[in-house]
Amino acid sequence: MSDTVVHTTYPEQAAQLLARIDQDPWGSVRPSLYETARVISAAPWLPGEPQRIAYLLNEQAPDGSWGEGPERYRLLPTLSAVEAALAVLRRGNTSAGTTRRLTASVDRGLAALRALPPAGPWPDTAAAEILVPSLVARIHEQIALLADDRTDHGTAATGGWLPGPGPALPRGYDQGAPAYVAKRYAAAGGLPVKLHHTFEGIARYIPEALVPDGPDLLGSSPAATAARAAALSREPAPETVTALAAVSRRYAGSFPEAAPIVVFERLWVAAALAGAQLPAAGLPTVRQWATDLYDPRGVRGAPGLMTDADDTAMAVLVSSLVGLEHSPDPLDLFHNGTHYDCYVGEDTGSVTANAHALQALGGYQRRHPGTRHLHGPRTAGVRDWLVGRQLPEGPWPDKWHASPYYATTRCVSALTRYGADHASGAVEAAVAWTVDTQRDDGSWGVWGGTAEETAYAAQILLAAAGPRPERERALRRAETYLNDGAGDGHHPALWHDKTLYAPGAMIEAEILAVRERLRTRHDANGRQTTPTDAEK
């Protein structure tokens, strides 16, 4: 009797993914070395430290660095890991074997930091301008304190070992930035919510009276929460220990940079799957998500974060996909006169957030023509702002993702639907750039071919109007690449938070939907298939 291969259909796979996400209260993301090291340093009282120390030691790369991606992205996680290892060594409560491993790890980590290029460009990750100087200063302090310990107590816990010189502050960063930021807000009498997620960068410079209080994770960040506890003169509140311990259990002792991520995950997954068609079995789930997540005061990506235009726009968009006419009016909170800020007080704009806002506004106007006098001018303004942000070669960059393929597919998707003739040249340039940058194996990628970026690139080409031989060849090669298993398993970290991360379920949804669109893009007569409702 021969084995029977069972092929799961797209609707079945999509429905299973939605059901799995619905049952996960945390979200699909790997632990963060940076975040876990910050908790090691600031929260020695939290159960599970041996697991975290083992994770830190095991994650060190052969060259002595920590983190994912190219070397410029390894600066912050390596600083975090070295400082955490020094903090553990100063506490002197590890076994002799672990102490030896930690001292060797610090030596290799410091060597890796010294080997980094002295100047960037450094990635535009969250609050790097305060996190990097803060950690460099803390490493130098830890080294000085270890030297004092040896002078005062002889060999101490490290057997007389002392690390080499601390790292120099890379060019492009200001050593005084953390203290300056803290002083500015101390003078104002309060700390804005936008600094909660990265509070660990200024925690040592903030007067205790201004340290944010509360029972939950500060800024949805374990590192910020641990730093808050360390900044207070009293013992950690039981609620703080409980909140951190719950995240630690979910991630086997370690921590992600944001917990939970379910708002972002559910909105982005639903939108991605709608590109091929939301499965009927999953519609009630997505409808419930949209009902629960939409907020007329603005939507926040996680409980401790600020409301933001990106999540608000996506909540409006996803609502429309399942027949819920939630108004785009909350986006008014973020309009700055020309385009949308991600959040109030933002320093640098995001093209992907504005592309999502364009889709939310444009779609709402099409369904409600009577609102064009209200939303039409802003739609046109955002369209023009997006076109003006395109690079001469054709792509768009964005601060939330290391790869231009993510931002470019978002912009192309919005502009092909709501940009009219004003954006046709920009779309053509993006399509040409995408065709030109395909790799020999059929993939796309900023550092190397990935299934995630190939899915984005394929979406760009699928959005282009009319049959084109070069585009069809590129799509066939992409389909072969994705169907050969490139989208299965581990996905490189390409998304920006404090360091790089990979939202696994979202990436899975993008790849799954694009595979289905590639499979069905022609009917039996070879004609282009009709766009889905989400593409119209």
Side-chain angles (χ1 to χ4, degrees):
M1 184 176 180
S2 61
D3 294 334
T4 301
V5 178
V6 178
H7 294 283
T8 307
T9 65
Y10 167 77
E12 291 171 326
Q13 291 176 289
Q16 290 168 5
L17 177 59
L18 292 171
R20 190 176 82 230
I21 292 169
D22 193 50
Q23 295 300 311
D24 183 1
W26 294 101
S28 176
V29 65
R30 297 192 293 270
S32 160
L33 187 285
Y34 164 84
E35 199 83 0
T36 302
R38 293 300 80 230
V39 175
I40 289 173
S41 179
W45 36 263
L46 187 68
E49 182 167 276
Q51 291 173 281
R52 289 186 280 280
I53 292 173
Y55 169 73
L56 183 149
L57 291 169
N58 292 336
E59 287 294 308
Q60 191 170 24
D63 68 355
S65 68
W66 281 269
E68 298 190 63
E71 62 178 5
R72 62 197 182 101
Y73 279 93
R74 292 174 169 262
L75 170 63
L76 186 60
T78 303
L79 288 169
S80 184
V82 168
E83 195 282 332
L86 288 168
V88 173
L89 287 168
R90 284 203 63 239
R91 293 200 285 263
N93 56 1
T94 55
S95 68
T98 299
T99 297
R100 285 193 296 271
R101 291 187 65 191
L102 285 167
T103 57
S105 181
V106 168
D107 286 336
R108 293 171 57 223
L110 288 171
L113 289 170
R114 289 192 290 268
L116 285 174
W122 305 108
D124 185 19
T125 50
E129 69 278 6
I130 60 172
L131 298 178
V132 168
S134 178
L135 281 170
V136 169
R138 185 59 181 158
I139 288 172
H140 283 273
E141 291 172 16
Q142 294 280 27
I143 291 173
L145 290 168
L146 273 170
D148 290 344
D149 290 344
R150 189 174 71 168
T151 299
D152 294 340
H153 307 292
T155 58
T158 59
W161 169 88
L162 278 179
L169 183 68
R171 288 203 294 271
Y173 293 107
D174 179 358
Q175 191 63 67
Y180 169 76
V181 170
K183 182 178 179 180
R184 182 174 65 183
Y185 289 111
L191 194 67
V193 177
K194 77 170 188 173
L195 290 178
H196 286 188
H197 184 61
T198 54
F199 177 71
E200 67 272 18
I202 58 171
R204 296 190 302 126
Y205 305 95
I206 287 286
E208 184 170 347
L210 293 183
V211 174
D213 204 0
D216 300 321
L217 295 180
L218 179 63
S220 293
S221 163
T225 305
R228 175 182 66 186
L232 299 173
S233 56
R234 59 183 183 270
E235 290 292 315
E239 296 86 354
T240 295
V241 178
T242 298
L244 286 172
V247 184
S248 177
R249 285 193 298 272
R250 169 61 171 80
Y251 292 94
S254 298
F255 295 91
E257 289 177 22
I261 65 161
V262 292
V263 175
F264 160 74
E265 180 176 82
R266 292 177 179 188
L267 292 174
W268 267 248
V269 164
L273 294 179
Q277 191 171 6
L278 283 168
L283 284 176
T285 296
V286 176
R287 189 171 289 114
Q288 189 62 56
W289 291 353
T291 300
D292 293 342
L293 296 178
Y294 177 83
D295 190 325
R297 298 166 299 179
V299 179
R300 60 190 77 236
L305 301 181
M306 299 178 70
T307 56
D308 68 88
D310 209 4
D311 288 283
T312 301
M314 288 294 279
V316 173
L317 179 60
V318 170
S319 295
S320 71
L321 297 174
V322 291
L324 300 174
E325 290 299 337
H326 286 146
S327 168
D329 288 350
L331 284 171
D332 292 348
L333 300 168
F334 309 102
H335 199 268
N336 64 16
T338 59
H339 61 282
Y340 291 92
D341 291 331
C342 278
Y343 50 85
V344 177
E346 181 181 48
D347 295 322
T348 54
S350 164
V351 297
T352 59
N354 279 273
H356 295 149
L358 178 57
Q359 290 192 63
L361 286 173
Y364 192 81
Q365 288 175 78
R366 284 189 180 177
R367 295 186 302 276
H368 303 275
T371 66
R372 287 180 179 170
H373 69 287
L374 295 174
H375 302 304
R378 286 192 177 177
T379 300
V382 172
R383 175 201 66 205
D384 294 343
W385 185 82
L386 286 174
V387 170
R389 303 286 287 187
Q390 187 178 30
L391 296 180
E393 299 81 8
W396 280 268
D398 192 56
K399 67 179 182 179
W400 298 122
H401 205 286
S403 172
Y405 294 100
Y406 171 70
T408 302
T409 191
R410 272 8 194 202
C411 292
V412 166
S413 181
L415 292 172
T416 53
R417 294 168 194 169
Y418 308 112
D421 293 339
H422 300 274
S424 59
V427 172
E428 289 292 326
V431 170
W433 169 78
T434 303
V435 170
D436 289 344
T437 56
Q438 189 174 31
R439 294 176 177 270
D440 292 341
D441 62 356
S443 70
W444 282 269
V446 64
W447 301 320
T450 70
E452 179 187 354
E453 293 167 281
T454 301
Y456 298 145
Q459 290 178 50
I460 296 167
L461 300 184
L462 287 166
R468 302 180 186 182
E470 70 279 6
R471 184 193 68 164
E472 287 302 316
R473 284 194 298 271
L475 287 172
R476 284 195 297 271
R477 294 170 62 206
E479 186 173 14
T480 299
Y481 174 82
L482 291 173
N483 288 340
D484 283 347
D488 303 328
H490 182 90
H491 297 291
L494 295 167
W495 290 74
H496 282 181
D497 190 357
K498 302 173 195 179
T499 59
L500 292 174
Y501 73 103
M506 197 288 301
I507 296 169
E508 183 180 344
E510 293 282 356
I511 296 167
L512 177 61
V514 164
R515 279 175 168 166
E516 178 67 4
R517 291 182 65 190
L518 289 169
R519 185 185 70 80
T520 60
R521 73 185 185 277
H522 294 291
D523 64 17
N525 296 321
R527 296 191 300 268
Q528 190 76 27
T529 55
T530 302
T532 67
D533 288 340
E535 294 175 294
K536 291 179 181 177

